[in-house]
Amino acid sequence: MANVLLVDDEEALRQTMALFLRHEGHVCRLAGDVDSALLALAAESADVVVSDIRMPGGGGIALLEAVRGLAYRCEVIMVTGDPTVETAVQAIRCGAFDYVAKPLTRARLCGAVEAAATLKYAADADVRYREDLERLVEARTASLHESLERLQRTVENTTQALSRALEIRDPYTAGHQRRVTHLSCAIHDRLGAQRRLSPQGRDGLRIAGLLHDLGKLAIPAEILAKPARLSSVEVSLIRAHPVIGWEILSGLDFGWPVAEIVRQHHERWDGTGYPDGLKREEIRLEARILGVADVLEAMASHRPYRPALGVEVALEEIRKGSGTAFDPEVVAACLSVFLEDGYVLDSGVLAD
Ligand SMILES: [Fe+2]
């Protein structure tokens, strides 16, 4: 059952069409011209409009265009007393669903209205389905974003907690990891200005920086805090910390190979580092950056076995190691960070 608006300037024809259609169970409203048809459509929506193509005071084509501009879908069937190909083409081109030639027959009119109503319902159902689907996708996306944010917060909190655990146990390196992280990110950003570095790599570097000495949890606190030269056994114990850190972290998925970066942070450009004696690009870029920042921060700060040497001395040491211990590109970026950007190694920084 469709809601139909019948528009024709001939009263008798309107009534005949209404009779045919009401007999089929459709609800019909009648209008004698375009203006009253538009008023009727504004007052209540229709599924199908059946309109004469030629009427005094404005034709059916004008009505057709007005119907196209409605906020809802409504199919239009044109009725014409001049069944030429041109009239039919004009009606269809303007967006009519069908056209019916006079004299009207019950079967032809009812068939056209039936088909138009079916199309309209199918189109409406399609729109509803699309809207439902869009709402569903929006809701799923929002909940996915929420889960991702929660996961990121968890990673962040876990990282901070592990980092603090080591700092509480080893006060001499308190703040060391945060300062190294902050400097590493500054070097990464400087390098990123010349090379295309991924933001995920920076995040991975940041987490690895905050956890790079995590393996020291396994080393006796007396050795870490010893204010004298270490024996060879003690040195080899300390040198195990990158692998221990890697073992602790390798089961965790940070979305970036954080465990590997931690394992490689004492590797050196010329292959003289540990634990695996990797060389040049065999060492991940993040680990090469971390290595430079780690050495620089350690030299510039106070240590149990010696006072702070200062940033100047530390920078000189880094410069001397360019191309041997350290990646020259990373060294150049590090020097630019201090000498051009005026970077200050601050004891109170929080890694961003
Ligand atoms: Fe280390």
Side-chain angles (χ1 to χ4, degrees):
M1 183 198 77
N3 193 329
V4 188
L5 177 66
L6 302 167
V7 191
D8 201 302
D9 55 314
E10 280 181 54
E11 165 83 31
L13 199 62
R14 291 201 297 271
Q15 294 298 348
T16 309
M17 290 195 289
L19 196 71
F20 288 165
L21 292 168
R22 281 180 181 139
H23 190 257
E24 297 295 320
H26 300 298
V27 174
C28 297
R29 286 180 292 153
L30 313 182
D33 54 44
V34 172
D35 288 343
S36 36
L38 290 174
L39 281 174
L41 287 172
E44 194 191 328
S45 66
D47 300 322
V48 182
V49 171
V50 180
S51 171
D52 195 355
I53 203 162
R54 286 211 185 94
M55 286 179 288
I61 297 293
L63 175 63
L64 184 55
E65 276 160 10
V67 169
R68 286 283 147 266
L70 290 172
Y72 58 90
R73 187 178 178 119
C74 173
E75 298 302 334
V76 178
I77 296 166
M78 285 293 169
V79 178
T80 171
D82 173 25
T84 61
V85 175
E86 289 82 48
T87 323
V89 166
Q90 192 194 8
I92 300 296
R93 192 172 282 161
C94 289
F97 168 75
D98 199 357
Y99 83 98
V100 182
K102 288 177 187 172
L104 287 171
T105 65
R106 178 197 290 254
R108 178 74 182 100
L109 178 68
C110 292
V113 168
E114 200 69 54
T118 305
L119 176 71
K120 140 97 181 164
Y121 298 147
D124 283 355
D126 191 45
V127 168
R128 277 198 300 277
Y129 175 72
R130 273 166 204 274
E131 283 172 355
D132 284 351
L133 208 63
E134 274 168 25
R135 269 196 293 277
L136 195 72
V137 168
E138 259 172 46
R140 289 269 161 88
T141 309
S143 96
L144 211 63
H145 273 298
E146 215 174 279
S147 307
L148 199 66
E149 273 171 24
R150 206 175 314 126
L151 202 67
Q152 278 166 344
R153 275 200 299 278
T154 307
V155 168
E156 185 63 38
N157 294 341
T158 309
T159 305
Q160 298 282 357
L162 284 170
S163 182
R164 295 228 192 288
L166 177 65
E167 287 179 0
I168 287 165
R169 188 160 173 272
D170 176 16
Y172 284 103
T173 56
H176 163 72
Q177 295 190 115
R178 269 178 287 143
R179 287 193 294 276
V180 168
T181 302
H182 196 267
L183 175 57
S184 296
C185 289
I187 297 173
H188 187 275
D189 292 345
R190 185 79 201 196
L191 271 177
Q194 300 142 26
R195 294 169 47 164
R196 289 172 65 125
L197 299 179
S198 72
Q200 295 96 317
R202 191 187 190 275
D203 288 344
L205 172 61
R206 200 178 141 271
I207 297 170
L210 286 169
L211 301 175
H212 71 273
D213 279 339
L214 186 64
K216 287 186 178 169
L217 278 172
I219 299 165
E222 314 80 68
I223 298 180
L224 293 177
K226 192 171 171 182
R229 262 192 102 76
L230 301 175
S231 71
S232 60
V233 175
E234 288 164 340
V235 167
S236 60
L237 260 176
I238 288 202
R239 283 166 70 111
H241 79 273
V243 173
I244 297 167
W246 170 77
E247 278 169 358
I248 296 170
L249 298 171
S250 56
L252 302 175
D253 183 3
F254 291 99
W256 201 256
V258 167
E260 214 176 307
I261 301 168
V262 167
R263 183 183 176 109
Q264 295 177 0
H265 80 274
H266 283 286
E267 297 290 355
R268 292 295 171 254
W269 184 247
D270 54 7
T272 56
Y274 61 91
D276 303 310
L278 301 178
K279 266 188 203 154
R280 302 171 75 94
E281 275 86 12
E282 287 171 355
I283 311 162
R284 295 192 63 94
L285 174 65
E286 299 88 354
R288 295 185 328 248
I289 295 173
L290 198 52
V292 167
D294 189 21
V295 168
L296 194 142
E297 201 286 327
M299 287 189 74
S301 310
H302 174 76
R303 276 288 176 273
Y305 44 89
R306 58 144 177 80
L309 296 172
V311 172
E312 299 298 317
V313 176
L315 281 174
E316 192 44 41
E317 195 62 26
I318 295 295
R319 191 183 283 121
K320 270 196 263 170
S322 176
T324 49
F326 309 118
D327 177 351
E329 217 184 329
V330 174
V331 171
C334 176
L335 293 175
S336 302
V337 163
F338 280 93
L339 305 176
E340 289 171 29
D341 304 342
Y343 187 86
V344 177
L345 208 54
D346 180 8
S347 56
V349 293
L350 278 171
D352 63 6

